[in-house]
Each structure stands twice: as C-alpha cells, then as structure tokens.
Amino acid sequence: MLLEKLVRDDARTAAADYQKKVELCHDKTCEVMLSKIKSWANDVEAKQGQIFWLSGLAGTGKSTIAKTIGEWAREEGILGSRYFFSRDDVRLSESSFLIPKLAYDIAEFDTSAKEIIAGILKKDKRVVYTSETIEK
C-alpha cells in the first residue's frame, strides 16, 4: 500500500527503540504541566490553538512529559500522532521524516483523512521519498 511507504522501516524501528528508553512521569511529578496539556487537548473548541509547543533545555523532561501525554491520549482515543526527535540517533534527527510520519499516523487515525492523503499520494508519487530515492 502506498501509505506504508510514507514511514521508513529504519525510522519506525528507531522511534520504537527510543520510546523504550524514555520513562513515563512518576506519580505527582509534572502534575501542573500534565494538567495544562490535558486541558488544552480536551479543548474541543480550540480556544487555545491547535498546536501545543513543548520546549525547554536539554534534560528538563520534555520527552518524559511527551511520552506520558502520548500514552494518556492514546488511552483516551484522541492521539492522532506523535513524533520524537533525538540528536543521539540520526534516524530521529532528520526533519524530513516528520511530515510523512504525521501523515501516516493521521491517515490511520481518521478514515476521511486517509482518503485525502491516499488521493494525494496516488496523484503525485514524488510526495513519498526517502534519502535512498533522493540519492538515485
């Protein structure tokens, strides 16, 4: 299937490996931030914007918070996608993997989005690319 080509296997493996390294927030830690993000995620009228940008210095717990929220959102049935960058793994440091991964996950999450994304891919197969196809 054309949608499967959006996400490279090595990037998928790298993401799974990275997720194993990241812990979930422990009880009572990050409570204020988790509450703020959950409130934002449940704002169906989108009064607060549709993107929550989690930023901070290295080692301040962004990945832990993001993984915790991702697990919570998955359990709630509201997780469209998640993506983790890591400067320690070249497969997770390339921004060119982000949009294909998001498109794939959203297509799997929402059937109407899946039809739109599949239609785009059928019209223009150049949308799906990897570093291997660029080198050729």
Side-chain angles (χ1 to χ4, degrees):
M1 178 181 216
L2 202 50
L3 282 172
E4 291 293 326
K5 292 182 180 180
L6 281 172
V7 184
R8 288 179 32 180
D9 288 336
D10 60 336
R12 192 183 320 259
T13 302
D17 291 345
Y18 180 72
Q19 283 294 303
K20 291 176 190 171
K21 296 178 192 176
V22 177
E23 303 261 341
L24 292 171
C25 292
H26 298 288
D27 289 344
K28 304 294 181 192
T29 61
C30 309
E31 237 176 35
V32 172
M33 181 56 72
L34 293 173
S35 176
K36 183 178 179 179
I37 297 170
K38 288 176 181 179
S39 174
W40 167 83
N42 284 316
D43 182 8
V44 293
E45 295 179 20
K47 294 176 189 166
Q48 302 175 18
Q50 297 193 4
I51 295 176
F52 190 99
W53 193 267
L54 182 61
S55 63
L57 298 173
T60 58
K62 297 178 299 296
S63 293
T64 300
I65 291 169
K67 182 175 181 180
T68 302
I69 288 296
E71 290 300 314
W72 167 80
R74 186 183 51 75
E75 290 168 6
E76 294 289 312
I78 61 172
L79 179 66
S81 183
R82 63 180 170 190
Y83 190 89
F84 288 87
F85 284 100
S86 173
R87 67 177 166 270
D88 299 331
D89 189 326
V90 70
R91 300 168 298 176
L92 296 175
S93 65
E94 293 184 35
S95 61
S96 63
F97 294 156
L98 175 63
I99 300 302
K101 169 75 164 81
L102 295 178
Y104 176 81
D105 288 347
I106 291 169
E108 291 298 305
F109 179 75
D110 182 333
T111 54
S112 61
K114 186 175 197 166
E115 291 173 18
I116 293 167
I117 293 167
I120 291 168
L121 295 174
K122 285 177 187 170
K123 273 192 226 175
D124 187 355
K125 291 181 178 53
R126 294 174 300 163
V127 171
V128 179
Y129 71 90
T130 65
S131 57
E132 288 88 22
T133 56
I134 292 171
E135 291 169 7
K136 291 181 182 177

